Amino acid sequence: MELWDVYDQYRHLTERIHKRGEDMKAGDYHLVVHVWIINDDGQFLIQRRQPWKIGFPNMWDCSAAGSAIVGDDSEQAAIREAKEELGIDLDIKKGERIFTVKFSQGFDDIWLVRQNVALEDLLLQEEEVADAKWASEAEIREMAETGEFIPFNYLDLLFEIATSSITLKKASVDDAEELLALQKEVFMPLYKKYKDHETSPVTQSMERFTARFDRGDYFKILFEAELAGSVFVYEKSPGLMRLHIINILEKYHNKGIAQVVMKRLELLYPEAEAWELDTIQSEERNCYVYEKMGYKQTGEAKVINKDMRIIRYSKDTNLSKIVSI
């Protein structure tokens, strides 16, 4: 008997448990993972479902997939499914949750893991998996067109992110020293320009900085595998996500990184009904980027000093989301 944790529409854990096979109540959600393993040659490890499987029997599928059981978080579920179905130890440190699909009964986290695996080392779960092989993007697209591969509606996005130069890597408190130094480097020119001694990220203490890791999600922004910046987001209230700070090192400006990151964040949090952020009113370049991404100014400007005002932007329409598989 498989038991699932029940989430609400904002991906908050409830104290209730659901038994697989029973009808879920309206407004209840459970957690699902899809794991896509990609090797150094750009091929994806795919599996063929057994002919007796309910739902897409005998069709080719992603590397591994399944529902999280009670106590699982997304990462644990991805590792467990890969082990159960393929017999491999997923190198989750080389993985990235690239987006989440909010469907009628759950949240489906899509994982991309860069890992080389020898087919002869696979231990296929007989009850679930009939076969496995490596396939290129072109081969998967062709199989989807001929009805051999499950027609996921997110394949275009998956392949786009898999070949992108930009990666979002979840950070931990162990990265705090590196990320605080990056933040100070990015904001030092603004600190000198506006002489904001009270609220500038340059003056933030390590104690206040590390508190972020308990409040929300911090990501490293990598460009061609090099650290290019960071971004911190958190849930301000149910349905409202706050993009608290985004840092891009000067050498990586004018590469469209901020726009890509902001779209990726919307895709990662489909439970969000709106996003908000603050920025310096006179920094027209930043304002232009946010407005280009669909953000609109709200409320009055907040005066920090005679040279600096902070304005708030929000976005609640045209959010990047995938609403079904």
Side-chain angles (χ1 to χ4, degrees), residues 6-245:
V6 175
Y7 295 78
D8 67 14
Q9 63 178 319
Y10 300 116
R11 198 167 171 160
H12 299 155
L13 271 171
T14 69
E15 297 181 351
R16 293 180 290 112
I17 304 297
H18 178 81
K19 185 187 298 184
R20 181 173 184 170
E22 296 182 352
D23 292 336
M24 294 198 75
K25 297 178 181 178
D28 282 356
Y29 296 82
H30 72 290
L31 179 61
V32 180
V33 294
H34 277 181
V35 179
W36 293 81
I37 299 173
I38 184 172
N39 65 16
D40 290 342
D41 295 324
Q43 297 172 310
F44 296 87
L45 182 62
I46 60 176
Q47 62 158 277
R48 185 163 58 84
R49 297 163 68 85
Q50 289 287 14
W52 53 77
K53 284 280 292 180
I54 298 175
F56 304 107
N58 213 36
M59 294 183 69
W60 288 92
D61 197 353
C62 61
S63 306
S67 297
I69 59 175
V70 169
D72 269 352
D73 61 20
S74 181
E75 183 175 302
Q76 291 167 333
I79 293 171
R80 179 177 52 77
E81 290 294 338
K83 187 68 172 180
E84 288 180 358
E85 296 184 5
L86 302 176
I88 64 173
D89 296 315
L90 197 65
D91 191 351
I92 204 67
K93 291 182 179 180
K94 295 181 180 178
E96 176 190 0
R97 181 169 69 93
I98 54 176
F99 53 87
T100 295
V101 180
K102 183 181 180 183
F103 61 100
S104 60
Q105 295 183 327
F107 295 94
D108 190 349
D109 288 345
I110 313 300
W111 284 85
L112 181 68
V113 182
R114 301 184 184 277
Q115 183 172 348
N116 296 315
V117 178
L119 293 178
E120 58 267 26
D121 292 337
L122 298 180
L123 296 174
L124 305 184
Q125 185 181 27
E126 185 177 354
E127 300 86 352
E128 303 257 351
V129 185
D131 197 5
K133 66 178 181 179
W134 290 101
S136 67
E137 173 185 335
E139 289 169 329
I140 292 173
R141 287 187 183 277
E142 183 177 355
M143 285 191 287
E145 288 179 4
T146 58
E148 300 171 75
F149 201 96
I150 297 176
F152 297 117
N153 67 351
Y154 62 70
L155 287 179
D156 287 344
L157 182 61
L158 168 72
F159 296 139
E160 175 189 326
I161 294 176
T163 57
S164 173
S165 300
I166 301 168
T167 302
L168 280 181
K169 197 77 172 178
K170 185 77 175 291
S172 72
V173 70
D174 293 335
D175 301 306
E177 186 174 347
E178 177 184 37
L179 294 179
L180 180 56
L182 182 149
Q183 173 178 290
K184 290 184 176 183
E185 179 180 348
V186 170
F187 277 89
M188 184 58 72
L190 293 176
Y191 177 67
K192 292 179 179 179
K193 179 179 180 180
Y194 294 106
K195 300 177 178 58
D196 172 24
H197 306 297
E198 300 298 325
T199 67
S200 172
V202 170
T203 62
Q204 188 171 39
S205 68
M206 178 61 74
E207 181 180 6
R208 284 189 60 199
F209 186 82
T210 55
R212 291 177 176 175
F213 293 89
D214 293 324
R215 187 177 189 184
D217 294 331
Y218 219 117
F219 296 92
K220 294 181 178 181
I221 303 171
L222 306 180
F223 183 80
E224 296 180 347
E226 296 294 327
L227 183 63
S230 64
V231 62
F232 172 59
V233 300
Y234 65 89
E235 183 188 56
K236 185 176 180 179
S237 61
L240 176 61
M241 289 294 295
R242 181 166 174 80
L243 199 166
H244 183 72
I245 193 168

Side-chain angles (χ1 to χ4, degrees), residues 277-289:
L277 59 86
D278 293 344
T279 194
I280 301 171
Q281 187 176 32
S282 54
E283 291 299 310
E284 295 180 357
R285 180 167 173 258
N286 291 343
C287 294
Y288 171 77
V289 170

Side-chain angles (χ1 to χ4, degrees), residues 265-316:
L265 290 171
E266 291 178 12
L267 288 164
L268 277 169
Y269 302 91
E271 65 272 24
E273 297 164 350
W275 285 78
E276 72 168 29
L277 59 86
D278 293 344
T279 194
I280 301 171
Q281 187 176 32
S282 54
E283 291 299 310
E284 295 180 357
R285 180 167 173 258
N286 291 343
C287 294
Y288 171 77
V289 170
Y290 299 141
E291 290 169 9
K292 183 178 179 181
M293 294 300 296
Y295 281 78
K296 296 180 180 179
Q297 184 178 341
T298 61
E300 298 290 329
K302 179 181 179 181
V303 177
I304 302 300
N305 57 40
K306 65 182 181 63
D307 300 315
M308 180 177 169
R309 292 169 177 260
I310 297 294
I311 54 175
R312 177 156 297 174
Y313 277 101
S314 67
K315 180 180 180 180
D316 59 9

